[in-house]
Amino acid sequence: MTASNNQFSNTRVLVAQIPEGVAPNKSHFRTVTVTEDKPELEDGAIFVKNSVLSLDPYIKYDFSSGNEESPVAGFGLGKIVDSKNPAFPVGSTFFGPVRWESYSHLTKEQGLGESINLDAGLDKDLPLSVYNGVLGLSGFTVWDSLKRLGNLKKGETIYISSAAGTLGLLAGQLAKRQGLRVIGSAGSDEKVAYLTSELGFDAAFNYKTQDRRSALTEAAPQGLDIYYDLVFDDTVDIALDLLNPHGRIISVGTLALHQGQEPAAPKNLINVLMKQLRYEGYMVYEYFDQWESFWKEVTPLVKSGEIKFAETVIEGELDIVAETYGRFLQGGYKGKVSVKIADL
Ligand SMILES: NC(=O)c1ccc[n+]([C@@H]2O[C@H](COP(=O)([O-])OP(=O)(O)OC[C@H]3O[C@@H](n4cnc5c(N)ncnc54)[C@H](OP(=O)(O)O)[C@@H]3O)[C@@H](O)[C@H]2O)c1
């Protein structure tokens, strides 16, 4: 913190212009640096020095429906520098909904229920950025949703859409470890090859160049038992037809909606009744009491390399985040993308 004792300098990325019908790029953002009074914290509030910001596709929808000059909101990691919240004491490492700014003042109404004190899981031998991805909210979502809703059984077949994404690649590897036949789809031949040659998927296909129904039918000669849906588009119609009796659809992501596509509206839901399927949604925020079990099980697998992950960390001043976000939305980086703006 700079300036006088009660003042500090805060750099912020604001929305300069709402993107209309185009993907956001650098020109839609504006970076400002202001000197502010250190906030008087009310009960339950925290003050965080942001260190690593997580780039996620949904962010563009949040700001495109917001106001110009509003700070961009996302998730990130940082250090608590002041606190009136016993769950987040000063000095602890925080993950939660921060804005694209050097310091964030968060009240208990501003999503602290979606926040985690990482100290219980932090492994100093791993880069902090993994807590934005494979050992963070993404990884926890996969691990918990598969356990809670998957009822995974050895010999079954699971299909994962967006399998080379942050959640997808972990879902495939965890299912494989439990003896399932794992099928994934991704949007380039390079990603498809990565799934089968490096991550151990049994089969994979390019959903952009191959007919999804024939590719899936060929890859799953015994039918599907689980569809792990990260996309929420009409792929679910195909899955409903190919699922075996007592199959499950675990609905977790909405990537197609982030791309402006129509949401799933399957016309063959009768399969749910006829084949006694379960079609269930999962939202991670209800299950935060399971974090320590997740870290206990998955951290050693990540450290030993048994679970692989891909990430890109861009380091720089805060204004780099705007440019990086535009490239991220165009698929310019591999794996989970984070921007490191400061040391912890
Ligand atoms: N329910 C929960 O509690 C929860 C928690 C965390 C995340 N999520 C959601 O889970 C989803 C996946 O998150 P993530 O972090 O894994 O995403 P991600 O790593 O950012 O994945 C991005 C990839 O998704 C693929 N993709 C984009 N649009 C697609 C489409 N229309 N059809 C198929 N693939 C598409 C693209 O890869 P290709 O090149 O393969 O197309 C893109 O590179 C998101 O919707 C996220 O919001 C849900």
Short mmCIF file of all heavy atoms in Angstrom, two decimals, residues 7-70:
data_model
loop_
_atom_site.label_atom_id
_atom_site.label_comp_id
_atom_site.label_asym_id
_atom_site.label_seq_id
_atom_site.Cartn_x
_atom_site.Cartn_y
_atom_site.Cartn_z
N GLN A 7 -4.44 6.19 3.33
CA GLN A 7 -4.76 6.25 1.89
C GLN A 7 -3.94 5.21 1.13
O GLN A 7 -2.87 4.80 1.59
CB GLN A 7 -4.44 7.64 1.36
CG GLN A 7 -5.42 8.68 1.89
CD GLN A 7 -5.44 9.89 0.98
OE1 GLN A 7 -4.41 10.41 0.66
NE2 GLN A 7 -6.63 10.30 0.57
N PHE A 8 -4.44 4.81 0.02
CA PHE A 8 -3.69 3.86 -0.80
C PHE A 8 -4.02 4.10 -2.26
O PHE A 8 -5.02 4.74 -2.60
CB PHE A 8 -4.04 2.41 -0.39
CG PHE A 8 -5.43 2.01 -0.76
CD1 PHE A 8 -5.66 1.19 -1.87
CD2 PHE A 8 -6.52 2.45 -0.03
CE1 PHE A 8 -6.94 0.83 -2.21
CE2 PHE A 8 -7.81 2.09 -0.38
CZ PHE A 8 -8.02 1.28 -1.47
N SER A 9 -3.14 3.57 -3.11
CA SER A 9 -3.31 3.74 -4.55
C SER A 9 -3.94 2.47 -5.12
O SER A 9 -3.47 1.36 -4.85
CB SER A 9 -1.93 3.99 -5.14
OG SER A 9 -2.00 3.87 -6.51
N ASN A 10 -5.03 2.64 -5.84
CA ASN A 10 -5.73 1.46 -6.38
C ASN A 10 -5.87 1.62 -7.90
O ASN A 10 -6.41 2.61 -8.37
CB ASN A 10 -7.13 1.35 -5.74
CG ASN A 10 -7.67 -0.07 -5.79
OD1 ASN A 10 -7.03 -0.95 -6.36
ND2 ASN A 10 -8.82 -0.29 -5.19
N THR A 11 -5.37 0.61 -8.63
CA THR A 11 -5.55 0.62 -10.08
C THR A 11 -6.73 -0.30 -10.40
O THR A 11 -6.88 -1.35 -9.79
CB THR A 11 -4.27 0.12 -10.78
OG1 THR A 11 -3.21 0.99 -10.40
CG2 THR A 11 -4.41 0.16 -12.29
N ARG A 12 -7.56 0.12 -11.35
CA ARG A 12 -8.82 -0.56 -11.63
C ARG A 12 -9.05 -0.67 -13.12
O ARG A 12 -8.76 0.30 -13.84
CB ARG A 12 -9.95 0.34 -11.17
CG ARG A 12 -10.60 -0.09 -10.02
CD ARG A 12 -11.83 0.60 -9.55
NE ARG A 12 -11.85 0.30 -8.15
CZ ARG A 12 -11.83 1.18 -7.19
NH1 ARG A 12 -11.85 2.45 -7.47
NH2 ARG A 12 -11.80 0.80 -5.94
N VAL A 13 -9.60 -1.77 -13.58
CA VAL A 13 -10.01 -1.86 -14.98
C VAL A 13 -11.52 -1.64 -15.04
O VAL A 13 -12.29 -2.36 -14.38
CB VAL A 13 -9.64 -3.24 -15.58
CG1 VAL A 13 -10.14 -3.34 -17.02
CG2 VAL A 13 -8.14 -3.45 -15.53
N LEU A 14 -11.91 -0.61 -15.79
CA LEU A 14 -13.34 -0.28 -15.91
C LEU A 14 -13.83 -0.67 -17.29
O LEU A 14 -13.05 -0.76 -18.25
CB LEU A 14 -13.54 1.22 -15.73
CG LEU A 14 -13.00 1.85 -14.45
CD1 LEU A 14 -13.21 3.36 -14.50
CD2 LEU A 14 -13.68 1.26 -13.22
N VAL A 15 -15.15 -0.83 -17.41
CA VAL A 15 -15.75 -1.03 -18.72
C VAL A 15 -15.87 0.36 -19.35
O VAL A 15 -16.57 1.22 -18.84
CB VAL A 15 -17.14 -1.67 -18.61
CG1 VAL A 15 -17.75 -1.85 -19.98
CG2 VAL A 15 -17.05 -3.00 -17.86
N ALA A 16 -15.15 0.59 -20.47
CA ALA A 16 -15.17 1.90 -21.12
C ALA A 16 -16.32 1.98 -22.10
O ALA A 16 -16.88 3.03 -22.36
CB ALA A 16 -13.86 2.14 -21.85
N GLN A 17 -16.67 0.83 -22.65
CA GLN A 17 -17.70 0.81 -23.69
C GLN A 17 -18.31 -0.59 -23.67
O GLN A 17 -17.59 -1.58 -23.64
CB GLN A 17 -17.00 1.05 -25.04
CG GLN A 17 -17.92 1.32 -26.18
CD GLN A 17 -17.13 1.23 -27.50
OE1 GLN A 17 -15.90 1.26 -27.53
NE2 GLN A 17 -17.85 1.10 -28.59
N ILE A 18 -19.64 -0.65 -23.68
CA ILE A 18 -20.29 -1.97 -23.67
C ILE A 18 -20.14 -2.58 -25.08
O ILE A 18 -20.54 -1.94 -26.06
CB ILE A 18 -21.80 -1.85 -23.34
CG1 ILE A 18 -22.02 -1.06 -22.05
CG2 ILE A 18 -22.47 -3.21 -23.31
CD1 ILE A 18 -21.73 -1.77 -20.78
N PRO A 19 -19.58 -3.77 -25.19
CA PRO A 19 -19.45 -4.35 -26.53
C PRO A 19 -20.82 -4.71 -27.11
O PRO A 19 -21.60 -5.40 -26.45
CB PRO A 19 -18.63 -5.63 -26.29
CG PRO A 19 -18.38 -5.72 -24.85
CD PRO A 19 -19.09 -4.64 -24.12
N GLU A 20 -21.13 -4.17 -28.27
CA GLU A 20 -22.44 -4.45 -28.88
C GLU A 20 -22.23 -5.40 -30.05
O GLU A 20 -21.67 -5.00 -31.07
CB GLU A 20 -23.08 -3.15 -29.41
CG GLU A 20 -23.30 -2.06 -28.39
CD GLU A 20 -24.52 -2.30 -27.49
OE1 GLU A 20 -25.22 -3.31 -27.69
OE2 GLU A 20 -24.75 -1.47 -26.59
N GLY A 21 -22.64 -6.63 -29.90
CA GLY A 21 -22.58 -7.59 -31.01
C GLY A 21 -21.18 -7.99 -31.43
O GLY A 21 -21.00 -8.60 -32.48
N VAL A 22 -20.18 -7.64 -30.63
CA VAL A 22 -18.81 -8.09 -30.95
C VAL A 22 -18.18 -8.62 -29.66
O VAL A 22 -18.63 -8.28 -28.56
CB VAL A 22 -17.90 -6.93 -31.46
CG1 VAL A 22 -18.31 -6.46 -32.83
CG2 VAL A 22 -17.88 -5.77 -30.46
N ALA A 23 -17.17 -9.47 -29.85
CA ALA A 23 -16.46 -9.96 -28.67
C ALA A 23 -15.69 -8.79 -28.05
O ALA A 23 -15.16 -7.94 -28.79
CB ALA A 23 -15.50 -11.06 -29.07
N PRO A 24 -15.64 -8.70 -26.74
CA PRO A 24 -14.91 -7.59 -26.12
C PRO A 24 -13.43 -7.62 -26.47
O PRO A 24 -12.84 -8.69 -26.60
CB PRO A 24 -15.11 -7.82 -24.63
CG PRO A 24 -15.78 -9.12 -24.48
CD PRO A 24 -16.23 -9.61 -25.80
N ASN A 25 -12.86 -6.47 -26.66
CA ASN A 25 -11.41 -6.38 -26.87
C ASN A 25 -10.89 -5.23 -26.02
O ASN A 25 -11.64 -4.60 -25.26
CB ASN A 25 -11.10 -6.20 -28.36
CG ASN A 25 -11.73 -4.93 -28.90
OD1 ASN A 25 -11.62 -3.86 -28.31
ND2 ASN A 25 -12.42 -5.05 -30.02
N LYS A 26 -9.60 -4.99 -26.17
CA LYS A 26 -8.91 -4.01 -25.32
C LYS A 26 -9.63 -2.65 -25.30
O LYS A 26 -9.68 -1.97 -24.28
CB LYS A 26 -7.51 -3.84 -25.92
CG LYS A 26 -6.50 -3.25 -25.05
CD LYS A 26 -5.16 -3.24 -25.79
CE LYS A 26 -4.22 -2.29 -25.11
NZ LYS A 26 -3.02 -2.08 -25.90
N SER A 27 -10.22 -2.27 -26.44
CA SER A 27 -10.82 -0.93 -26.52
C SER A 27 -12.08 -0.78 -25.67
O SER A 27 -12.57 0.33 -25.46
CB SER A 27 -11.15 -0.59 -27.98
OG SER A 27 -12.24 -1.37 -28.39
N HIS A 28 -12.62 -1.90 -25.20
CA HIS A 28 -13.82 -1.82 -24.36
C HIS A 28 -13.50 -1.56 -22.88
O HIS A 28 -14.41 -1.46 -22.06
CB HIS A 28 -14.64 -3.11 -24.49
CG HIS A 28 -15.18 -3.31 -25.88
ND1 HIS A 28 -14.69 -4.26 -26.73
CD2 HIS A 28 -16.14 -2.66 -26.55
CE1 HIS A 28 -15.34 -4.19 -27.88
NE2 HIS A 28 -16.23 -3.23 -27.81
N PHE A 29 -12.21 -1.52 -22.57
CA PHE A 29 -11.82 -1.34 -21.17
C PHE A 29 -10.99 -0.05 -21.01
O PHE A 29 -10.39 0.43 -21.96
CB PHE A 29 -10.95 -2.51 -20.70
CG PHE A 29 -11.62 -3.85 -20.82
CD1 PHE A 29 -11.35 -4.69 -21.89
CD2 PHE A 29 -12.51 -4.29 -19.86
CE1 PHE A 29 -11.95 -5.93 -22.00
CE2 PHE A 29 -13.12 -5.54 -19.95
CZ PHE A 29 -12.84 -6.36 -21.03
N ARG A 30 -10.94 0.41 -19.79
CA ARG A 30 -10.13 1.59 -19.47
C ARG A 30 -9.50 1.36 -18.10
O ARG A 30 -10.19 0.88 -17.18
CB ARG A 30 -11.07 2.80 -19.42
CG ARG A 30 -10.39 4.13 -19.33
CD ARG A 30 -11.39 5.23 -19.68
NE ARG A 30 -12.33 5.49 -18.59
CZ ARG A 30 -12.08 6.32 -17.57
NH1 ARG A 30 -10.93 6.94 -17.47
NH2 ARG A 30 -12.99 6.53 -16.62
N THR A 31 -8.22 1.67 -17.97
CA THR A 31 -7.55 1.46 -16.68
C THR A 31 -7.35 2.81 -16.00
O THR A 31 -6.91 3.76 -16.65
CB THR A 31 -6.18 0.78 -16.89
OG1 THR A 31 -6.39 -0.40 -17.64
CG2 THR A 31 -5.54 0.40 -15.58
N VAL A 32 -7.73 2.88 -14.73
CA VAL A 32 -7.52 4.14 -13.98
C VAL A 32 -6.78 3.83 -12.69
O VAL A 32 -6.90 2.73 -12.14
CB VAL A 32 -8.87 4.81 -13.61
CG1 VAL A 32 -9.63 5.27 -14.84
CG2 VAL A 32 -9.75 3.90 -12.76
N THR A 33 -6.01 4.80 -12.23
CA THR A 33 -5.36 4.65 -10.92
C THR A 33 -5.83 5.81 -10.04
O THR A 33 -5.78 6.97 -10.47
CB THR A 33 -3.82 4.66 -11.06
OG1 THR A 33 -3.46 3.54 -11.86
CG2 THR A 33 -3.14 4.53 -9.70
N VAL A 34 -6.34 5.46 -8.89
CA VAL A 34 -6.89 6.50 -8.00
C VAL A 34 -6.29 6.35 -6.60
O VAL A 34 -5.91 5.24 -6.20
CB VAL A 34 -8.43 6.39 -7.87
CG1 VAL A 34 -9.12 6.87 -9.13
CG2 VAL A 34 -8.86 4.97 -7.54
N THR A 35 -6.23 7.48 -5.88
CA THR A 35 -5.84 7.40 -4.47
C THR A 35 -7.12 7.41 -3.65
O THR A 35 -7.99 8.27 -3.85
CB THR A 35 -4.94 8.59 -4.10
OG1 THR A 35 -3.79 8.51 -4.92
CG2 THR A 35 -4.53 8.54 -2.65
N GLU A 36 -7.25 6.41 -2.78
CA GLU A 36 -8.51 6.27 -2.03
C GLU A 36 -8.22 6.19 -0.53
O GLU A 36 -7.11 5.82 -0.13
CB GLU A 36 -9.23 4.97 -2.44
CG GLU A 36 -9.66 4.96 -3.88
CD GLU A 36 -10.33 3.66 -4.29
OE1 GLU A 36 -10.10 2.62 -3.63
OE2 GLU A 36 -11.08 3.69 -5.26
N ASP A 37 -9.25 6.50 0.26
CA ASP A 37 -9.13 6.26 1.70
C ASP A 37 -9.29 4.76 1.94
O ASP A 37 -10.12 4.11 1.32
CB ASP A 37 -10.24 6.99 2.46
CG ASP A 37 -10.00 8.49 2.45
OD1 ASP A 37 -8.82 8.89 2.31
OD2 ASP A 37 -10.99 9.24 2.55
N LYS A 38 -8.49 4.27 2.85
CA LYS A 38 -8.63 2.87 3.24
C LYS A 38 -10.03 2.67 3.81
O LYS A 38 -10.47 3.46 4.64
CB LYS A 38 -7.58 2.55 4.29
CG LYS A 38 -7.30 1.11 4.48
CD LYS A 38 -6.01 0.96 5.30
CE LYS A 38 -6.00 -0.35 6.02
NZ LYS A 38 -6.95 -0.45 7.10
N PRO A 39 -10.78 1.65 3.35
CA PRO A 39 -12.17 1.54 3.81
C PRO A 39 -12.29 1.19 5.29
O PRO A 39 -11.48 0.45 5.83
CB PRO A 39 -12.73 0.40 2.95
CG PRO A 39 -11.55 -0.37 2.49
CD PRO A 39 -10.40 0.58 2.43
N GLU A 40 -13.30 1.77 5.94
CA GLU A 40 -13.68 1.37 7.31
C GLU A 40 -14.51 0.11 7.13
O GLU A 40 -15.59 0.16 6.52
CB GLU A 40 -14.58 2.44 7.94
CG GLU A 40 -13.87 3.62 8.55
CD GLU A 40 -12.97 3.20 9.71
OE1 GLU A 40 -13.36 2.29 10.48
OE2 GLU A 40 -11.88 3.78 9.82
N LEU A 41 -14.03 -1.00 7.64
CA LEU A 41 -14.76 -2.25 7.37
C LEU A 41 -15.94 -2.41 8.32
O LEU A 41 -15.82 -2.20 9.53
CB LEU A 41 -13.83 -3.45 7.52
CG LEU A 41 -12.63 -3.50 6.57
CD1 LEU A 41 -11.91 -4.84 6.72
CD2 LEU A 41 -13.05 -3.30 5.13
N GLU A 42 -17.07 -2.80 7.76
CA GLU A 42 -18.22 -3.15 8.59
C GLU A 42 -18.12 -4.64 8.96
O GLU A 42 -17.29 -5.36 8.38
CB GLU A 42 -19.53 -2.86 7.83
CG GLU A 42 -19.67 -3.54 6.50
CD GLU A 42 -18.91 -2.91 5.33
OE1 GLU A 42 -17.72 -2.51 5.46
OE2 GLU A 42 -19.49 -2.86 4.26
N ASP A 43 -18.93 -5.10 9.89
CA ASP A 43 -18.85 -6.49 10.32
C ASP A 43 -19.00 -7.43 9.13
O ASP A 43 -19.90 -7.26 8.31
CB ASP A 43 -19.95 -6.81 11.35
CG ASP A 43 -19.49 -6.42 12.74
OD1 ASP A 43 -18.29 -6.08 12.89
OD2 ASP A 43 -20.35 -6.42 13.65
N GLY A 44 -18.13 -8.41 9.05
CA GLY A 44 -18.21 -9.41 7.98
C GLY A 44 -17.44 -9.04 6.73
O GLY A 44 -17.28 -9.85 5.82
N ALA A 45 -16.92 -7.79 6.67
CA ALA A 45 -16.24 -7.35 5.44
C ALA A 45 -14.76 -7.72 5.45
O ALA A 45 -14.17 -7.99 6.51
CB ALA A 45 -16.39 -5.85 5.28
N ILE A 46 -14.17 -7.70 4.26
CA ILE A 46 -12.73 -7.94 4.14
C ILE A 46 -12.13 -6.95 3.12
O ILE A 46 -12.86 -6.39 2.30
CB ILE A 46 -12.40 -9.38 3.67
CG1 ILE A 46 -13.12 -9.69 2.35
CG2 ILE A 46 -12.75 -10.40 4.73
CD1 ILE A 46 -12.67 -10.97 1.71
N PHE A 47 -10.82 -6.81 3.19
CA PHE A 47 -10.09 -5.96 2.25
C PHE A 47 -8.93 -6.81 1.73
O PHE A 47 -8.13 -7.33 2.51
CB PHE A 47 -9.60 -4.72 3.02
CG PHE A 47 -9.04 -3.65 2.14
CD1 PHE A 47 -9.73 -3.20 1.02
CD2 PHE A 47 -7.82 -3.06 2.44
CE1 PHE A 47 -9.22 -2.18 0.22
CE2 PHE A 47 -7.30 -2.04 1.65
CZ PHE A 47 -8.00 -1.61 0.53
N VAL A 48 -8.90 -7.00 0.41
CA VAL A 48 -7.98 -7.99 -0.18
C VAL A 48 -7.01 -7.31 -1.13
O VAL A 48 -7.41 -6.48 -1.96
CB VAL A 48 -8.77 -9.01 -1.05
CG1 VAL A 48 -7.89 -10.18 -1.47
CG2 VAL A 48 -10.00 -9.51 -0.35
N LYS A 49 -5.76 -7.72 -1.06
CA LYS A 49 -4.79 -7.33 -2.09
C LYS A 49 -4.83 -8.44 -3.15
O LYS A 49 -4.50 -9.61 -2.87
CB LYS A 49 -3.39 -7.22 -1.48
CG LYS A 49 -2.37 -6.84 -2.53
CD LYS A 49 -0.96 -6.90 -1.96
CE LYS A 49 0.04 -6.62 -3.08
NZ LYS A 49 1.36 -7.13 -2.80
N ASN A 50 -5.25 -8.08 -4.37
CA ASN A 50 -5.41 -9.10 -5.40
C ASN A 50 -4.06 -9.49 -6.00
O ASN A 50 -3.20 -8.64 -6.22
CB ASN A 50 -6.35 -8.58 -6.49
CG ASN A 50 -7.74 -8.37 -5.95
OD1 ASN A 50 -8.21 -9.18 -5.15
ND2 ASN A 50 -8.39 -7.29 -6.34
N SER A 51 -3.94 -10.80 -6.27
CA SER A 51 -2.67 -11.29 -6.79
C SER A 51 -2.83 -12.00 -8.15
O SER A 51 -2.15 -11.67 -9.10
CB SER A 51 -2.06 -12.25 -5.76
OG SER A 51 -0.99 -12.94 -6.30
N VAL A 52 -3.75 -12.95 -8.24
CA VAL A 52 -3.91 -13.72 -9.48
C VAL A 52 -5.39 -13.70 -9.87
O VAL A 52 -6.24 -14.21 -9.14
CB VAL A 52 -3.43 -15.18 -9.30
CG1 VAL A 52 -3.51 -15.93 -10.63
CG2 VAL A 52 -2.01 -15.24 -8.76
N LEU A 53 -5.68 -13.11 -11.03
CA LEU A 53 -7.08 -13.02 -11.48
C LEU A 53 -7.39 -14.18 -12.41
O LEU A 53 -6.58 -14.56 -13.26
CB LEU A 53 -7.31 -11.69 -12.21
CG LEU A 53 -7.03 -10.43 -11.38
CD1 LEU A 53 -7.10 -9.18 -12.26
CD2 LEU A 53 -8.00 -10.31 -10.20
N SER A 54 -8.58 -14.73 -12.25
CA SER A 54 -9.01 -15.86 -13.08
C SER A 54 -9.82 -15.33 -14.27
O SER A 54 -10.73 -14.53 -14.09
CB SER A 54 -9.91 -16.76 -12.21
OG SER A 54 -10.57 -17.71 -12.99
N LEU A 55 -9.48 -15.75 -15.48
CA LEU A 55 -10.26 -15.33 -16.64
C LEU A 55 -11.29 -16.41 -16.96
O LEU A 55 -10.95 -17.58 -17.10
CB LEU A 55 -9.35 -15.10 -17.85
CG LEU A 55 -8.28 -14.01 -17.68
CD1 LEU A 55 -7.67 -13.65 -19.03
CD2 LEU A 55 -8.85 -12.76 -17.03
N ASP A 56 -12.53 -16.01 -17.06
CA ASP A 56 -13.61 -16.97 -17.31
C ASP A 56 -14.56 -16.42 -18.37
O ASP A 56 -14.80 -15.21 -18.41
CB ASP A 56 -14.40 -17.22 -16.00
CG ASP A 56 -13.51 -17.84 -14.94
OD1 ASP A 56 -13.18 -19.02 -15.08
OD2 ASP A 56 -13.13 -17.14 -13.99
N PRO A 57 -15.12 -17.33 -19.19
CA PRO A 57 -15.96 -16.87 -20.30
C PRO A 57 -17.18 -16.06 -19.86
O PRO A 57 -17.60 -15.14 -20.54
CB PRO A 57 -16.41 -18.16 -20.99
CG PRO A 57 -15.58 -19.25 -20.45
CD PRO A 57 -14.98 -18.79 -19.17
N TYR A 58 -17.76 -16.40 -18.69
CA TYR A 58 -19.02 -15.75 -18.30
C TYR A 58 -18.84 -14.25 -18.00
O TYR A 58 -19.80 -13.48 -18.03
CB TYR A 58 -19.63 -16.45 -17.06
CG TYR A 58 -18.90 -16.09 -15.81
CD1 TYR A 58 -19.25 -14.94 -15.10
CD2 TYR A 58 -17.83 -16.85 -15.34
CE1 TYR A 58 -18.55 -14.57 -13.97
CE2 TYR A 58 -17.12 -16.48 -14.23
CZ TYR A 58 -17.49 -15.35 -13.54
OH TYR A 58 -16.79 -14.96 -12.44
N ILE A 59 -17.62 -13.84 -17.71
CA ILE A 59 -17.37 -12.45 -17.27
C ILE A 59 -17.92 -11.47 -18.29
O ILE A 59 -18.50 -10.44 -17.95
CB ILE A 59 -15.86 -12.21 -17.05
CG1 ILE A 59 -15.37 -13.02 -15.86
CG2 ILE A 59 -15.57 -10.72 -16.83
CD1 ILE A 59 -13.87 -12.95 -15.63
N LYS A 60 -17.78 -11.82 -19.57
CA LYS A 60 -18.21 -10.85 -20.60
C LYS A 60 -19.71 -10.61 -20.54
O LYS A 60 -20.18 -9.55 -20.88
CB LYS A 60 -17.79 -11.32 -21.99
CG LYS A 60 -18.55 -12.49 -22.53
CD LYS A 60 -18.15 -12.79 -23.96
CE LYS A 60 -18.94 -14.00 -24.43
NZ LYS A 60 -18.52 -14.51 -25.69
N TYR A 61 -20.47 -11.61 -20.08
CA TYR A 61 -21.92 -11.38 -19.96
C TYR A 61 -22.24 -10.49 -18.79
O TYR A 61 -23.15 -9.68 -18.85
CB TYR A 61 -22.67 -12.71 -19.90
CG TYR A 61 -22.73 -13.26 -21.29
CD1 TYR A 61 -21.81 -14.19 -21.71
CD2 TYR A 61 -23.61 -12.73 -22.21
CE1 TYR A 61 -21.79 -14.61 -23.02
CE2 TYR A 61 -23.60 -13.13 -23.52
CZ TYR A 61 -22.70 -14.08 -23.92
OH TYR A 61 -22.67 -14.46 -25.22
N ASP A 62 -21.46 -10.67 -17.73
CA ASP A 62 -21.72 -9.81 -16.57
C ASP A 62 -21.48 -8.35 -16.93
O ASP A 62 -22.26 -7.49 -16.63
CB ASP A 62 -20.81 -10.21 -15.40
CG ASP A 62 -21.38 -11.39 -14.66
OD1 ASP A 62 -22.43 -11.88 -15.12
OD2 ASP A 62 -20.79 -11.82 -13.69
N PHE A 63 -20.37 -8.08 -17.63
CA PHE A 63 -20.12 -6.65 -17.85
C PHE A 63 -20.89 -6.11 -19.04
O PHE A 63 -21.20 -4.94 -19.10
CB PHE A 63 -18.63 -6.30 -17.90
CG PHE A 63 -17.84 -6.68 -19.12
CD1 PHE A 63 -18.03 -6.03 -20.31
CD2 PHE A 63 -16.89 -7.67 -19.03
CE1 PHE A 63 -17.27 -6.35 -21.42
CE2 PHE A 63 -16.12 -8.00 -20.14
CZ PHE A 63 -16.32 -7.35 -21.34
N SER A 64 -21.27 -7.01 -19.99
CA SER A 64 -22.02 -6.46 -21.12
C SER A 64 -23.45 -6.12 -20.70
O SER A 64 -24.14 -5.37 -21.37
CB SER A 64 -22.00 -7.39 -22.32
OG SER A 64 -22.56 -8.61 -21.96
N SER A 65 -23.88 -6.64 -19.54
CA SER A 65 -25.20 -6.24 -19.07
C SER A 65 -25.09 -5.14 -18.00
O SER A 65 -26.07 -4.72 -17.42
CB SER A 65 -25.95 -7.44 -18.50
OG SER A 65 -25.21 -7.96 -17.44
N GLY A 66 -23.85 -4.72 -17.73
CA GLY A 66 -23.66 -3.72 -16.67
C GLY A 66 -23.61 -2.30 -17.21
O GLY A 66 -24.16 -2.00 -18.26
N ASN A 67 -22.93 -1.46 -16.49
CA ASN A 67 -22.85 -0.06 -16.88
C ASN A 67 -21.44 0.29 -17.29
O ASN A 67 -20.48 -0.26 -16.76
CB ASN A 67 -23.21 0.84 -15.68
CG ASN A 67 -24.63 0.62 -15.26
OD1 ASN A 67 -25.52 0.54 -16.10
ND2 ASN A 67 -24.82 0.49 -13.96
N GLU A 68 -21.35 1.25 -18.19
CA GLU A 68 -20.02 1.77 -18.50
C GLU A 68 -19.45 2.37 -17.22
O GLU A 68 -20.19 2.86 -16.37
CB GLU A 68 -20.14 2.85 -19.57
CG GLU A 68 -20.35 2.25 -20.95
CD GLU A 68 -20.50 3.30 -22.02
OE1 GLU A 68 -20.00 4.42 -21.84
OE2 GLU A 68 -21.14 2.98 -23.03
N GLU A 69 -18.13 2.31 -17.13
CA GLU A 69 -17.41 2.85 -15.98
C GLU A 69 -17.54 1.98 -14.75
O GLU A 69 -17.07 2.34 -13.69
CB GLU A 69 -17.82 4.29 -15.64
CG GLU A 69 -17.53 5.28 -16.74
CD GLU A 69 -16.05 5.37 -17.09
OE1 GLU A 69 -15.26 5.69 -16.20
OE2 GLU A 69 -15.70 5.10 -18.25
N SER A 70 -18.23 0.83 -14.85
CA SER A 70 -18.26 -0.05 -13.69
C SER A 70 -17.03 -0.95 -13.75
O SER A 70 -16.58 -1.33 -14.84
CB SER A 70 -19.54 -0.87 -13.66
OG SER A 70 -19.62 -1.65 -14.81
#
